[in-house]
Amino acid sequence: MRTILIIICCLPFLASAQDTVQGMVMEANPDNEHRGLPGANVYWQDSPIGTMTKEDGTFSIPYSNKYNKLIISFVGFKTDTLTIDQPKMVHHWLQPSNALDEVVVEQKKEAVQKTIFSAQNVVTVNSAELLKAACCNLSESFETNPAIDVNFNDALTGTKQIEMLGLTSPYLLITQENIPMVRGASQSFGLTFTPGTWVESIQITKGAGSVINGYESISGQINTELQKPFTDAPVFVNGYANLNGRLELNTHLNTKVSDKWSTGLYIHGNRRDFEVDNNDDDFLDMPLSNQVNVMNRWQYQNPETGWVSFLNFRYLNDEKQVGESGFNPETDRFTTNAWGSEIDTERFDGSVKLGYVFPDMPFQSFGFQASYSHHAQNSYYGFNTYDIDHESIYSNLMFNSIIGNTKHKFKTGISFAYDGYDELVNGTIFARSDRSAGAFFEYSYTNLEKLSLTAGARFDTHNRLGNFFTPRIHLRYTPWENGSFRGSFGLGRRAANIFAENQRMFASSRTIQLNGNAGNVYGFDPEKAVNYGLSFIQKFRLFDRPGDFSIDFYRTDFENQIVVDWENPREVTFSNLEGESYANSLQVELNHAVLPNVEVRTAYKFYDVKTDYQTGLLQKPLQARHRFFTNVGYNTKPKENGAQWRFDYTFNLLGEQRLPSTAANPAQYQLGEFADGYSLMNAQVTKVFSDKFEVYVGGENLTNFRQYNAVLGADDPFGEFFDTTIVYAPIFGRMLYMGFRFKM
């Protein structure tokens, strides 16, 4: 650590000149007011170097004497090319394209963006990529991206669990516009609470994240950017229906209140009313459900003074019923007439973001974030009851500036968080309050030619985790053009919410054993892990079409972990780690536009994830060690009104998976030691009639592969061998869907 601090202190003296072009892109108007354009593309001609303007229209892009043509483009505006011969400030107004007589050719925005200049290993998924699948909610937004694995959570609720670097979502920091979102009570179902149409882009960071966003990130971070009222369509409507009975409607209504204020009302509803049991085990393959989700979003920006802000208010009500076909909660709840479950969630959250950019110094700014949420879930699984009430407060104050010149930047600030939990588990009350306050400092050094470094540290005091120090470092080295090596290292800590994160265990006959050691969280010690890794990316052009090759390896070592041991089919045991627990992740990826308008993405992933259980060091159950992924996309050339066809195909091949032991069960309730590998195919066809209207049809699991024994002991759901947790494959078979998108 002493070496890292010495490097941070000395690097400001290694460079003597500014090598960044800073500026603002604005919408042309008669008075030349500084009305910033967020989301405009800014890039050097004939180079891979580019960026996008921020919410207030400001941007920063590395300068190199290899390039002198700066292109600025935005949909609906004229594309301009500026000659830049030296680093300087740029204030530029774009003319609306409807004021021109000429034809404007827009630069195509990549659906998935990877940068070779960032110190962190970040993949940005834009809205064009999200349209490749039905993308009904955030948990279903990663089907066409190999960075995230999507697994099946249980045999009842239909929810999908995401993993990265071989670790489940609790070890990811999942944020919404850099405010922590899916955590605590929302860990199991929170990803289903963000509709896909609300998402503008997703940033996926592999490895330990930034110290700015907290100490909980262990395997990475997923940040979701929502649609902005200033740039979203005034009216947007999306309808969706599938053959399993799910109906969904999304509407966006955006209004420009004044030159500086815009507001949006986002309404989402989905419903499934009829019962589906394709594997004939008398249990519903998908839940009966009803969700209403309403968000009001306000955006303010004043480029003249440098102020920008967002206000969000959201209310959600989500109801699920699962269990045996014909289960009637009015007459069958807590009886042996039929096995059933209800999961009812009511949630309110609000947030504010306030930022100020110094007009004459766009590299200097400060920002403030604050959020409040109240999450109440009432649920039962057969005779097991689980209720949780979670109140959360979060705030973060940050200042950004430079040291000498824009090669050397820093971010510093303070944060505060409060979480109050009240849980009822089969008549036992678990209540606790978590409070933490922290300070952080992060330094960034950028040399366009060779080197980038981001090094940060934070100190936090927590009433349960104590006082602790969290360092993070990311390094990028570019030995040749379009190729980059990256390395990262970081520590992470977290207080595990063992019941909220493992709710599927309630839907079984297993007894719950808490083997704690008088620690501060449910009687356990907090989790602590170190993550480190190396990656390489090489961008290239083959047959005059772009492509990239990447390989990365990450390892996570746990110093302490709450081990969830379900190798005994009669119980699930929670205990502190005794021994070792680690996760090794290797990914090799190749992407290329093999033909005009045809893009192919392929990836191979290998996982070695092992933990010391009571029966010894074992591979993590229900995880394929080998995975292969392919996505092929083809788009016809768009016509003048935007009309085109889009075709998308995704193939996943999963190797065998170790199953938790069922050897103690009678023969008819035993499973093998391993589940065989299988493949899944998804496809979607979209007909774009114009830039205002399109329809799409698609299918998931087109080969109709199913796990038929997903509910163990389905013939006796109140018996001692009942278990719905051992799910390694789809249980609902082929799913066909269709929908439309309309905007004005």
Side-chain angles (χ1 to χ4, degrees), residues 483-698:
S484 284
F485 290 92
R486 292 188 179 95
S488 68
F489 169 88
L491 294 179
R493 295 174 183 258
R494 63 184 297 269
N497 292 283
I498 59 174
F499 299 119
E501 295 166 9
N502 297 278
Q503 291 189 46
R504 63 179 178 176
M505 295 299 178
F506 292 118
S508 72
S509 62
R510 297 172 183 264
T511 60
I512 298 175
Q513 302 290 333
L514 303 183
N515 293 345
N517 61 349
N520 291 326
V521 185
Y522 299 103
F524 301 101
D525 294 331
E527 295 189 308
K528 181 180 180 180
V530 58
N531 177 282
Y532 48 95
L534 295 171
S535 66
F536 171 73
I537 182 172
Q538 177 69 54
K539 293 193 174 185
F540 60 86
R541 293 192 71 85
L542 181 63
F543 307 121
D544 200 31
R545 289 185 289 273
D548 63 78
F549 168 82
S550 62
I551 181 171
D552 58 56
F553 173 81
Y554 288 89
R555 180 179 174 93
T556 305
D557 281 307
F558 284 91
E559 180 177 318
N560 186 57
Q561 186 180 23
I562 309 303
V563 177
V564 184
D565 189 339
W566 40 313
E567 295 301 316
N568 181 343
R570 303 280 66 73
E571 65 183 28
V572 53
T573 302
F574 296 88
S575 62
N576 283 297
L577 176 66
E578 294 183 3
E580 60 178 330
S581 179
Y582 61 84
N584 293 320
S585 167
L586 173 69
Q587 177 172 321
V588 181
E589 185 176 351
L590 176 64
N591 307 314
H592 186 233
V594 294
L595 293 170
N597 301 323
V598 178
E599 297 182 357
V600 178
R601 294 205 296 270
T602 60
Y604 165 76
K605 288 183 284 189
F606 170 76
Y607 294 122
D608 178 28
V609 184
K610 292 183 178 179
T611 300
D612 263 312
Y613 299 100
Q614 297 178 32
T615 51
L617 184 66
L618 298 174
Q619 178 75 17
K620 179 183 175 181
L622 303 180
Q623 183 180 67
R625 289 168 59 88
H626 303 276
R627 285 176 175 258
F628 181 77
F629 166 93
T630 297
N631 175 264
V632 181
Y634 169 69
N635 299 335
T636 62
K637 186 177 180 180
K639 297 181 180 179
E640 187 174 349
N641 66 346
Q644 65 172 161
W645 287 89
R646 296 198 297 259
F647 302 87
D648 192 80
Y649 170 82
T650 302
F651 172 81
N652 282 282
L653 177 64
L654 285 75
E656 66 175 16
Q657 302 175 52
R658 189 183 75 82
L659 302 179
S661 176
T662 54
N665 287 348
Q668 65 268 34
Y669 299 124
Q670 291 183 7
L671 301 174
E673 186 177 354
F674 290 90
D676 293 335
Y678 62 91
S679 61
L680 295 175
M681 299 182 189
N682 302 336
Q684 179 176 285
V685 178
T686 303
K687 169 57 178 174
V688 182
F689 292 94
S690 70
D691 55 9
K692 295 182 175 60
F693 181 69
E694 62 187 58
V695 297
Y696 56 91
V697 295

Side-chain angles (χ1 to χ4, degrees), residues 437-456:
F440 57 85
F441 181 88
E442 184 175 83
Y443 165 79
S444 298
Y445 169 77
T446 303
N447 182 321
L448 178 63
E449 298 295 334
K450 293 292 182 183
L451 184 69
S452 291
L453 168 73
T454 300

Side-chain angles (χ1 to χ4, degrees), residues 278-312:
N278 288 330
N279 56 3
D280 298 323
D281 60 2
D282 292 328
F283 276 78
L284 300 181
D285 296 341
M286 302 292 285
L288 305 179
S289 61
N290 182 42
Q291 183 184 117
V292 176
N293 201 343
V294 181
M295 178 177 68
N296 182 213
R297 186 162 165 81
W298 290 80
Q299 180 179 0
Y300 172 85
Q301 62 180 30
N302 188 341
E304 292 182 346
T305 61
W307 289 96
V308 61
S309 67
F310 288 91
L311 291 171
N312 275 21

